[in-house]
């Protein structure tokens, strides 16, 4: 693949690097109270825009055909929202005695609490030729059935990370999540009903729009970090976290493969493909805005966000590299 084509394909990952570099050069632009006024433009407008965009783009009818595959849905949701965060929590008990930055470890726990993404798991499942409808249904749980996974994810963060004694106000967080996530999503779905034909004819770049808004959120998050002279991220901790994230990805993909291919599992090879990607991928689009709300006012918010920012390109990179291998396995099993 030529370099320009590769750059166009990976523009979002490059965009993350660019906005972090921009935040490092001039953090005062995006800090709270700065020219961009992120306490308003990001906390309310940008987050709401992401979920309105999701409501506008999601095809409700595409989820209907996959609705009855209850066993597969239970497997994915239990793995990603119960097993995943619990396993990470147990693992972090061991890592807590190491010199790894404690805020990066807390960020690693928040990764485990996140719901599946709407995009990457579906794209990779489709690339392999797996059960795309099941992937759409389970991935869309993250933004379509917000009352289920977003609030469960928030509850998991409190359970594993903040604790019952946390001073974080439950009522204000719940109301802000409702107004900036649920309401825009519902409005998006309602608007979609009236302009459905136009949307299908014009095919607006919904993914690119959400990604651009997400880059703004990432930018202001890191502006807060670099504007704080007390925050110091050591390279050792960062390198170890990257290694841990890739190890978690590989281990959990292998684990879901073993569970879903047992003789009595009842899953087809196409189902297994959807399970592998949906169970192990985590949503950056949902995750960053959620962290921005739950950890509002925390001076270490950007450090907590780092593992999720690493996990996103890691899952895409590993998934893309494994597409030919998984596709060959699925074709051989189907024969």
């Amino acid at each position: 693949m030529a370099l320009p084509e590769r750059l166009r394909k990976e523009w979002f990952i490059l965009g993350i690097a660019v906005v972090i570099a921009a935040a490092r050069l001039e953090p005062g632009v995006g800090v709270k109270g700065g020219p961009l006024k992120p306490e308003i433009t990001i906390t309310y407008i940008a987050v709401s825009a992401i979920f309105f965009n999701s409501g506008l783009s999601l095809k409700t009818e595409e989820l209907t055909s996959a609705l009855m595959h209850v066993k597969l849905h239970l497997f994915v949701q239990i793995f990603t929202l119960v097993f995943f965060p619990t396993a990470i929590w147990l693992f972090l008990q061991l890592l807590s005695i190491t010199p790894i930055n404690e805020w990066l470890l807390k960020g690693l726990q928040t990764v485990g609490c996140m719901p599946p993404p709407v995009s990457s798991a579906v794209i990779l499942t489709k690339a392999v030729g797996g059960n795309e409808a099941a992937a759409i249904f389970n991935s869309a749980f993250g933004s379509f059935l917000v009352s289920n996974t977003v609030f469960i994810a928030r509850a998991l963060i409190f359970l594993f990370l903040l604790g019952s004694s946390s001073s974080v106000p439950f009522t204000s967080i719940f109301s802000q999540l409702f107004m900036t996530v649920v309401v825009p999503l519902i409005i998006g779905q309602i608007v979609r009903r009236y302009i459905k034909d136009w949307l299908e004819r014009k095919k607006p770049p919904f993914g690119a729009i959400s990604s651009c808004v997400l880059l703004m959120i990432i930018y202001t998050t890191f502006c807060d970090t670099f504007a704080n002279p007390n925050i110091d991220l050591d390279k050792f901790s960062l390198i170890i976290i990257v290694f841990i994230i890739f190890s978690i990805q590989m281990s959990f993909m292998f684990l879901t493969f073993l569970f879903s291919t047992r003789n009595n599992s009842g899953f087809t090879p196409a189902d297994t493909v959807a399970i592998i990607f949906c169970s192990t991928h985590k949503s950056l689009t949902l995750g960053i805005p959620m962290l921005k709300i739950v950890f509002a006012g925390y001076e270490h918010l950007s450090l907590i966000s780092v593992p999720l920012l690493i996990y996103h390109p890691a899952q895409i990179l590993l998934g893309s590299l494994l597409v030919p291998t998984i596709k060959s396995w699925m074709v051989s099993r189907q024969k």
Side-chain angles (χ1 to χ4, degrees):
M1 184 181 292
L3 181 59
E5 186 179 351
R6 171 63 68 179
L7 293 176
R8 283 195 298 271
K9 185 176 181 181
E10 307 296 344
W11 70 272
F12 180 68
I13 294 175
L14 292 174
I16 291 178
V18 169
V19 298
I20 292 176
R24 181 69 181 89
L25 290 173
E26 195 59 52
V29 175
V31 296
K32 185 177 181 179
L36 288 183
K37 300 293 182 184
E39 63 273 18
I40 298 174
T41 59
I42 300 299
T43 303
Y44 294 99
I45 299 175
V47 174
S48 298
I50 283 180
F51 289 98
F52 173 77
N53 188 58
S54 294
L56 203 60
S57 61
L58 282 170
K59 296 180 180 180
T60 311
E61 58 272 16
E62 287 186 348
L63 305 179
T64 306
S65 62
L67 185 61
M68 300 309 296
H69 205 334
V70 177
K71 186 176 180 179
L72 188 151
H73 306 327
L74 285 175
F75 182 100
V76 171
Q77 297 302 321
I78 290 174
F79 189 96
T80 194
L81 293 174
V82 179
F83 176 82
F84 202 127
T86 303
I88 295 296
W89 182 81
L90 292 173
F91 182 50
L92 291 182
Q93 302 312 299
L94 299 175
L95 293 181
S96 63
I97 62 175
T98 68
I100 300 175
N101 186 292
E102 65 170 309
W103 295 103
L104 289 180
L105 293 181
K106 290 179 185 295
L108 196 58
Q109 182 66 73
T110 65
V111 170
C113 297
M114 293 301 151
V118 174
S119 56
S120 61
V122 175
I123 292 170
L124 290 170
T125 299
K126 184 177 182 178
V128 174
N131 190 337
E132 185 183 357
I136 290 173
F137 179 84
N138 283 280
S139 295
F141 252 58
S143 57
F144 187 73
L145 301 179
V146 174
S147 60
N148 179 46
T149 51
V150 169
F151 292 121
I152 288 177
R154 177 197 52 76
L156 289 173
I157 290 175
F158 282 126
L159 176 64
F160 287 105
L161 197 58
L162 299 177
S164 58
S165 61
S166 171
S167 59
V168 178
F170 173 85
T171 304
S172 63
I173 290 176
F174 183 92
S175 60
Q176 187 173 345
L177 276 171
F178 183 81
M179 293 304 298
T180 59
V181 176
V182 180
V183 172
L185 191 69
I186 293 173
I187 293 175
Q189 282 283 289
I190 294 172
V191 172
R192 178 181 174 80
R193 293 184 60 185
Y194 293 97
I195 61 172
K196 179 180 176 181
D197 293 338
W198 181 86
L199 291 173
E200 292 181 352
R201 187 172 62 254
K202 295 294 185 180
K203 299 187 184 302
F206 292 113
I209 293 171
S210 288
S211 295
C212 288
V213 177
L214 190 57
L215 287 176
M216 290 176 55
I217 296 175
I218 294 170
Y219 169 70
T220 57
T221 298
F222 276 87
C223 282
D224 288 336
T225 297
F226 296 127
N228 188 337
N230 298 321
I231 293 180
D232 181 30
L233 177 59
D234 60 288
K235 293 181 180 178
F236 168 78
S237 294
L238 186 60
I239 292 172
I240 294 298
I241 287 296
V242 171
F243 174 77
I244 289 172
I245 285 173
F246 274 90
S247 299
I248 289 172
Q249 266 279 307
M250 290 298 295
S251 300
F252 283 4
M253 289 179 78
F254 182 67
L255 198 59
T256 53
F257 176 80
L258 288 180
F259 284 156
S260 61
T261 54
R262 293 178 304 169
N263 292 332
N264 60 345
S265 68
F267 297 125
T268 66
D271 292 339
T272 295
V273 173
I275 286 171
I276 289 174
F277 292 125
C278 291
S279 299
T280 60
H281 282 209
K282 294 294 183 176
S283 176
L284 182 68
T285 304
L286 285 169
I288 293 297
M290 190 188 305
L291 293 181
K292 195 79 173 179
I293 294 172
V294 174
F295 293 99
Y298 278 61
E299 64 177 12
H300 298 288
L301 169 61
S302 57
L303 292 184
I304 295 173
S305 305
V306 165
L308 185 58
L309 291 171
I310 296 172
Y311 198 94
H312 176 78
Q315 68 189 14
I316 294 174
L317 176 61
L318 285 175
S320 299
L321 291 174
L322 290 172
V323 162
T325 303
I326 298 176
K327 189 171 185 176
S328 297
W329 168 83
M330 191 187 73
V331 171
S332 65
R333 285 291 300 271
Q334 288 176 333
K335 289 181 179 179

